[in-house]
Amino acid sequence: MLDTTTKRRIDDARDILVGKIPDPKSQVEQITIALIYKFMDDMDSESEELGGKTKFFSGEYQKYSWRRIFNQARGGQEILLDYREALQQLSENPNLPNIFHTIFRQAYLPYNDPETLKSFLKIIDQFEYDHSERLGDAFEYLLSVLGSQGDAGQFRTPRHIIDFMVDIVEPKKGETILDPACGTAGFLISAYKYILLHSSSEGKHNGDLLTPDERRLLSQNITGYDISPDMVRLSLVNMYLHRITEPKITEYDTLTSEAKWNEYFDVILANPPFMSPKGGIKPHSRFSIQSKRSEALFVDYIAEHLTLTGRAAVIVPEGVIFKGDSAFVKLRKMLIEENYLYGVISLPSGIFNPYSGVKTSILLLDKVIAKLTDKILFAKVENDGFALGAQRRPIEGSELNQVSSMIRDFKTRLHRNEEFKSDICTLVEKSKLAESGDYNLNGERYRIPSATKNARYVSIGTICDIYNGSTPLKSKDEYWNNGTINWFTINDIRRQGHIIYNTEQKITELALKETSVKLLPIDTVLLCCTASVGECAILKTQSTSNQQFNGLIIKDQYQDDIIPDYLFIIASSLKEELIRLSGKTSFNFVSVKTLKTINIPLPTLKEQQAIVIEIESYQRIIDAARTIVENYHPQITINPEWPTVELEKVVNQSLIGLIRSKAEQNECNEFLYLKMDAIDNKGNLDLDKSVRVNATDEEAQKYALKDGDYLYNTRNAPNLVGKSAVFKDKTDKIYLFNNNLLRIRFKKDLANPIYINIIMNSDYGKQQLNKYIDGTTSVAAIYQKNYFDIKIPLPAIDIQKHIVEEIEQEQEAVDKAKELINIFEKKITNRIAQIWEI
């Protein structure tokens, strides 16, 4: 486990470098090189203490020893010149093993500041190489600053998901292990640790039960490929620090090179790149599946490179699971019919936050297990032990151990030819998957209520009459003018929420008489089955509806079996299923015929009443908290004695942002990039609305936002122009800003940026802005000169600070209200999930 001292040292090293090297990947590389440099000298020192000779820094390379170069009595310029020369020469040192040659190849110092280097090396000098687990954990922590890997769309796999997959695959000593897109070698190290743990005496995890030959073979059996030389370098260091002293990590293009095609492995673990370059991959001809999609090719590669008893776990995006492209269909068919696949685990959609919200699943392959069963196992993980927001905070209730234990039990019982039962998975016959011809691997598609739970399920068509909505002709004024009868549309949900007491639009009695619209009674549940599929509301007044919605009215004979508010709760939970049934086309549609066939759980009336009371109590808390969030606006009472000052007089620096077209924005690019829509109506900056772009080091340094930077929208849509916000640096990420935004840095002794932001988002500030905004109904602007002419009340800086502190206290209370909303929305989600599992 990472200790706080080591973590602090790594953080300090990055803090020193960030001013010269804003790119996190480059920071990691510089720390990596310096650590290995220092550790080689540590090993030489240890050898001398034991009466031996130096191994790394001897002969003509003795002058490059860490002890000589980093002598704190030397001047910074001397250290810089010698350190730079050493980095250029070390890869030529014949005394270094191959791993160090690879690490130092193309190593260089990307800045010229002697004091920065001296401060940085002073931190590195505090580390000691002792082959400890602590040092390996430290490097894992260092690698955690890398979110997106390179430009191939690969996101670093969370450690707990890696360990979960390794636990399912159960690698063993003597087996060969591969990751064909290894990144920083997380899967390989986890597999190595797993084998050590299961080859250790009770209470230990150091592999003490392994013979020297078994330990040597273990290191030789672990292999990784990666297309990026930077990732290869990081992998080598990571494995070396975890005591794999001769790691087999190769720079290799798995999809286009045939050089290693004839190598096979007992275990393959991977989270291969999800994205394909423009124009697609250009693979060689030996793949079974003809495709230019990297995710399809990697799965094909993994399946084809398993030994006769091989097994694998691989993370894939949703396209591999259900996409109808011929390559994906052929891939799924091959995995099922040729006995590779035995299980699919659906992961939460926020598993890769904050880097990507992509929905993923894990494919489980085992060439022995797949032959023993005619079924595919489907499991769904909804709680992986971390909240699914951008920060991924730890939470209770992780389902990972439960799922991995269930899968091990499934495999064990198959080998023993014993019956397997589980409440947390679905077993689907392979023939069922083949029926539709698309071999869809979405487990929800085959979900059948469990009869073993004695639950009562009924179809919607059994208990409800269903009525289509309709729209009277808009051209007939007599259907609309002075109408008194409610006519419901989706805008009413947007306006007042999901409980409908009144509607924005009304129709006349004549429209009701002459058209197909039907007056729906109180407690009708309205379910959208066209366009915005899955939206739901319940009427607390009589109303008609447009054709987007179907009205669900409980049949007379079932009035004593189901509560309307319970029906509304269940209907609200059908959104994902309805979207699936709609085919996810550009214009979604679910027919009444299909809607009638959907089964819903029907507990007793007493249980329904308890469910409604519980969920309504949660909803009241959410509504109250939302009222606080929506109505809070920071307010400043302006003292008439405060001086009024033009903004220009307190500005220290201003800069228009970086130009990047939409075509240059891609989620696998390196830097986060804020546009004008990141600023909301209340003067807040929503960092989750950033996109990703590439930039040169010079651009990244010039346009990087710092804590306290003030941004305002200079031009574009009138409703966006003039909005401002303050950047608060709460992360290690680099944010750039686009050319519709102006970055302002104020004179610190005169103006607090948060105070100015509050003023400019107040009614007073908006009145000032309106004097200067020019443009049309579609495009507007407020130019820098005019913005700087705005006069604002500006008390002394200590008064500004006091005002900001008070408002930040208020904001903390609002943030707590937001947390309440998240907590109780999760409670509702969990409670509804329990209903479906009764």
Side-chain angles (χ1 to χ4, degrees):
M1 185 174 180
L2 180 66
D3 63 280
T4 55
T5 300
T6 306
K7 179 179 181 297
R8 176 180 51 76
R9 286 174 182 164
I10 291 175
D11 290 338
D12 288 346
R14 292 191 62 229
D15 288 343
I16 290 168
L17 292 177
V18 72
K20 301 296 179 182
I21 311 174
D23 175 21
K25 187 176 177 182
S26 298
Q27 295 166 18
V28 170
E29 187 169 272
Q30 289 300 309
I31 295 171
T32 298
I33 291 168
L35 283 174
I36 294 298
Y37 194 161
K38 167 67 164 56
F39 296 160
M40 289 193 302
D41 199 67
D42 287 352
M43 287 183 276
D44 272 357
S45 296
E46 183 180 338
S47 177
E48 287 179 314
E49 289 172 7
L50 296 174
K53 296 181 179 180
T54 58
K55 178 180 179 181
F56 302 109
F57 298 107
S58 60
E60 62 178 302
Y61 290 92
Q62 187 175 4
K63 63 181 179 180
Y64 296 127
S65 72
W66 178 275
R67 283 166 287 177
R68 180 195 168 278
I69 287 183
F70 185 66
N71 182 334
Q72 295 193 52
R74 303 179 75 208
Q77 189 64 34
E78 284 183 284
I79 293 175
L80 185 144
L81 292 174
D82 285 352
Y83 185 74
R84 175 173 287 150
E85 181 181 328
L87 294 187
Q88 293 171 347
Q89 297 299 320
L90 280 176
S91 65
E92 304 300 323
N93 185 346
N95 301 316
L96 298 188
N98 286 336
I99 180 176
F100 293 134
H101 279 291
T102 304
I103 290 168
F104 285 103
R105 191 176 299 130
Q106 297 180 339
Y108 71 102
L109 187 66
Y111 57 89
N112 295 305
D113 184 351
E115 293 309 311
T116 296
L117 177 63
K118 192 170 183 179
S119 298
F120 169 65
L121 296 183
K122 184 178 179 181
I123 296 294
I124 299 298
D125 196 53
Q126 297 170 13
F127 288 90
E128 298 290 338
Y129 181 73
D130 56 6
H131 274 309
S132 70
E133 184 70 17
R134 176 172 51 84
L135 200 52
D137 288 338
F139 195 72
E140 285 289 308
Y141 169 70
L142 179 60
L143 294 178
S144 72
V145 306
L146 296 176
S148 177
Q149 306 291 355
D151 59 1
Q154 182 175 9
F155 297 93
R156 188 172 184 272
T157 317
R159 167 57 56 190
H160 65 292
I161 299 298
I162 290 175
D163 292 341
F164 169 63
M165 293 167 64
V166 170
D167 192 45
I168 291 172
V169 173
E170 300 179 276
K172 297 174 178 60
K173 65 181 180 180
E175 292 187 324
T176 53
I177 302 168
L178 171 71
D179 183 344
C182 67
T184 58
F187 281 106
L188 300 177
I189 289 168
S190 179
Y192 177 77
K193 288 182 177 180
Y194 182 92
I195 295 171
L196 288 183
L197 177 64
H198 289 80
S199 304
S200 301
S201 303
E202 187 173 351
K204 297 182 179 180
H205 58 274
N206 59 356
D208 61 301
L209 299 181
L210 292 172
T211 67
D213 285 343
E214 286 174 336
R215 189 179 291 275
R216 184 170 56 256
L217 185 62
L218 173 58
S219 295
Q220 293 174 356
N221 281 344
I222 295 176
T223 302
Y225 308 147
D226 202 281
I227 196 172
S228 165
D230 293 335
M231 289 298 103
V232 169
R233 181 182 300 178
L234 293 176
S235 292
L236 290 171
V237 175
N238 199 11
M239 296 183 77
Y240 190 84
L241 294 179
H242 284 88
R243 303 186 67 180
I244 307 173
T245 54
E246 296 183 6
K248 293 169 61 180
I249 305 294
T250 308
E251 182 183 336
Y252 180 68
D253 187 342
T254 305
L255 302 184
T256 63
S257 175
E258 296 184 59
K260 299 179 182 295
W261 184 262
N262 293 325
E263 296 179 5
Y264 296 88
F265 297 85
D266 300 308
V267 171
I268 302 180
L269 295 151
N271 175 17
F274 294 165
M275 303 297 174
S276 299
K278 189 174 182 180
I281 303 290
K282 295 180 180 178
H284 56 74
S285 60
R286 299 183 69 176
F287 287 92
S288 297
I289 304 301
Q290 301 305 308
S291 175
K292 293 185 177 182
R293 299 292 304 179
S294 63
E295 58 267 44
L297 292 169
F298 265 110
V299 174
D300 183 15
Y301 183 93
I302 289 167
E304 292 196 50
H305 286 79
L306 291 173
T307 61
L308 291 175
T309 58
R311 55 204 186 279
V314 53
I315 295 176
V316 296
E318 286 293 86
V320 173
I321 298 298
F322 59 74
K323 207 168 184 181
D325 298 28
S326 61
F328 288 114
V329 173
K330 289 178 182 177
L331 176 66
R332 294 191 293 266
K333 181 179 180 181
M334 181 268 287
L335 293 176
I336 294 168
E337 294 190 349
E338 296 185 23
N339 292 318
Y340 290 108
L341 184 73
Y342 77 90
V344 181
I345 302 173
S346 173
L347 295 175
S349 58
I351 204 82
F352 288 107
N353 278 337
Y355 312 113
S356 172
V358 63
K359 178 73 175 72
T360 57
S361 294
I362 301 171
L363 298 183
L364 302 177
L365 312 183
D366 190 315
K367 294 178 73 172
V368 174
I369 293 294
K371 290 176 182 177
L372 292 177
T373 178
D374 60 355
K375 297 181 177 66
I376 301 293
L377 180 148
F378 291 94
K380 185 175 184 179
V381 173
E382 293 182 338
N383 182 345
D384 69 326
F386 292 85
L388 297 179
Q391 302 306 315
R392 295 289 278 149
R393 296 184 179 91
I395 58 174
E396 294 182 356
S398 172
E399 300 164 344
L400 297 182
N401 286 339
Q402 184 183 14
V403 171
S404 60
S405 296
M406 177 271 294
I407 292 172
R408 284 196 299 272
D409 182 50
F410 171 71
K411 292 188 290 186
T412 299
R413 291 183 180 276
L414 274 179
H415 281 295
R416 295 176 179 173
N417 198 27
E418 295 177 353
E419 184 181 4
F420 170 79
K421 290 183 179 180
S422 174
D423 292 338
I424 62 171
C425 75
T426 302
L427 288 174
V428 181
E429 292 183 357
K430 295 176 183 178
S431 58
K432 179 74 172 177
L433 300 176
E435 281 180 359
S436 62
D438 62 358
Y439 295 85
N440 192 300
L441 294 178
N442 180 358
E444 293 299 303
R445 181 174 184 174
Y446 310 103
R447 185 172 176 268
I448 300 172
S450 173
T452 62
K453 298 177 182 177
N454 297 318
R456 182 185 173 195
Y457 283 80
V458 296
S459 67
I460 292 176
T462 298
I463 60 169
C464 292
D465 291 318
I466 303 176
Y467 295 91
N468 288 121
S470 180
T471 300
L473 283 173
K474 291 283 187 178
S475 58
K476 285 203 172 187
D477 292 341
E478 58 267 34
Y479 288 167
W480 297 93
N481 288 347
N482 301 315
T484 59
I485 298 171
N486 288 311
W487 186 70
F488 171 85
T489 72
I490 198 166
N491 289 332
D492 292 304
I493 293 178
R494 308 282 184 260
R495 184 172 58 90
Q496 62 182 300
H498 298 274
I499 302 176
I500 307 301
Y501 294 95
N502 203 356
T503 62
E504 192 173 28
Q505 297 186 62
K506 314 282 184 180
I507 62 173
T508 63
E509 292 280 356
L510 184 63
L512 182 61
K513 181 179 179 181
E514 293 187 356
T515 71
S516 60
V517 293
K518 178 177 176 58
L519 187 62
L520 303 171
I522 293 173
D523 285 335
T524 297
V525 174
L526 295 165
L527 189 57
C528 184
C529 292
T530 303
S532 300
V533 166
E535 289 287 350
C536 191
I538 184 169
L539 294 176
K540 294 301 178 181
T541 181
Q542 288 187 325
S543 179
T544 58
S545 168
N546 76 348
Q547 63 270 26
Q548 265 192 283
F549 285 82
N550 289 323
L552 277 55
I553 302 173
I554 299 170
K555 294 178 180 179
D556 291 342
Q557 63 267 39
Y558 287 97
Q559 290 290 330
D560 294 332
D561 293 287
I562 186 166
I563 300 170
D565 291 301
Y566 171 80
L567 176 62
F568 165 65
I569 290 168
I570 288 299
S572 299
S573 71
L574 294 174
K575 186 170 185 176
E576 185 177 332
E577 174 66 4
L578 290 172
I579 291 175
R580 184 188 69 77
L581 291 170
S582 73
K584 298 186 179 181
T585 59
S586 58
F587 186 79
N588 294 338
F589 172 74
V590 177
S591 68
V592 171
K593 181 180 178 181
T594 299
L595 186 59
K596 285 181 177 181
T597 65
I598 296 175
N599 287 331
I600 61 171
L602 192 64
T604 66
L605 273 180
K606 186 176 180 180
E607 289 171 324
Q608 292 178 45
Q609 289 166 348
I611 290 166
V612 170
I613 290 170
E614 181 181 355
I615 289 179
E616 285 183 346
S617 69
Y618 296 155
Q619 191 61 51
R620 283 194 293 271
I621 295 171
I622 291 170
D623 293 341
R626 191 167 280 133
T627 299
I628 294 171
V629 172
E630 291 176 353
N631 289 284
Y632 172 74
H633 294 275
Q635 298 291 336
I636 296 176
T637 302
I638 297 173
N639 188 326
E641 295 183 3
W642 290 346
T644 302
V645 177
E646 292 175 349
L647 281 175
E648 183 179 28
K649 294 182 178 179
V650 294
V651 171
N652 182 47
Q653 181 192 102
S654 62
L655 181 69
I656 285 287
L658 181 68
I659 298 175
R660 286 294 182 269
S661 68
K662 192 169 184 178
E664 297 174 285
Q665 299 165 20
N666 190 300
E667 66 177 24
C668 58
N669 287 338
E670 188 170 8
F671 296 102
L672 294 159
Y673 183 67
L674 294 172
K675 301 188 287 186
M676 57 187 177
D677 63 346
I679 302 177
D680 69 17
N681 290 321
K682 296 183 179 181
N684 301 310
L685 200 58
D686 186 353
L687 300 183
D688 288 338
K689 289 192 174 179
S690 60
V691 296
R692 285 188 173 270
V693 299
N694 282 329
T696 65
D697 290 343
E698 183 179 351
E699 288 173 328
Q701 190 165 355
K702 179 178 180 180
Y703 295 101
L705 291 172
K706 295 181 179 179
D707 190 55
D709 280 354
Y710 179 95
L711 296 168
Y712 90 85
N713 286 332
T714 62
R715 58 189 181 276
N716 218 286
N719 64 319
L720 297 176
V721 169
K723 287 184 179 180
S724 63
V726 176
F727 178 76
K728 297 176 183 178
D729 187 8
K730 295 182 179 179
T731 72
D732 294 326
K733 304 178 193 66
I734 297 174
Y735 286 87
L736 314 179
F737 57 103
N738 87 337
N739 58 308
N740 284 322
L741 298 172
L742 182 79
R743 183 186 70 191
I744 301 174
R745 291 174 177 165
F746 294 105
K747 296 175 181 177
K748 293 183 179 180
D749 57 336
L750 295 179
N752 184 303
I754 299 176
Y755 168 83
I756 292 180
N757 188 52
I758 295 167
I759 286 289
M760 293 306 296
N761 282 281
S762 68
D763 291 339
Y764 173 89
K766 290 173 183 176
Q767 290 173 4
Q768 301 303 310
L769 284 169
N770 289 335
K771 295 177 183 178
Y772 295 102
I773 293 176
D774 294 325
T776 66
T777 56
S778 59
V779 180
I782 177 166
Y783 300 106
Q784 180 175 328
K785 179 184 181 302
N786 293 335
Y787 197 85
F788 287 174
D789 285 343
I790 292 174
K791 295 181 179 181
I792 63 167
L794 195 72
I797 191 69
D798 58 335
I799 296 176
Q800 294 178 45
K801 182 180 178 182
H802 178 70
I803 291 170
V804 168
E805 287 174 349
E806 286 187 341
I807 287 175
E808 285 182 338
Q809 287 179 351
E810 295 171 4
Q811 189 62 56
E812 283 182 16
V814 175
D815 290 341
K816 288 179 180 177
K818 291 178 181 177
E819 287 182 20
L820 272 179
I821 293 171
N822 292 334
I823 288 170
F824 283 93
E825 283 181 341
K826 183 67 174 177
K827 281 182 175 289
I828 289 176
T829 299
N830 290 340
R831 187 64 185 92
I832 291 173
Q834 290 173 9
I835 299 169
W836 282 97
E837 295 297 327
I838 61 172

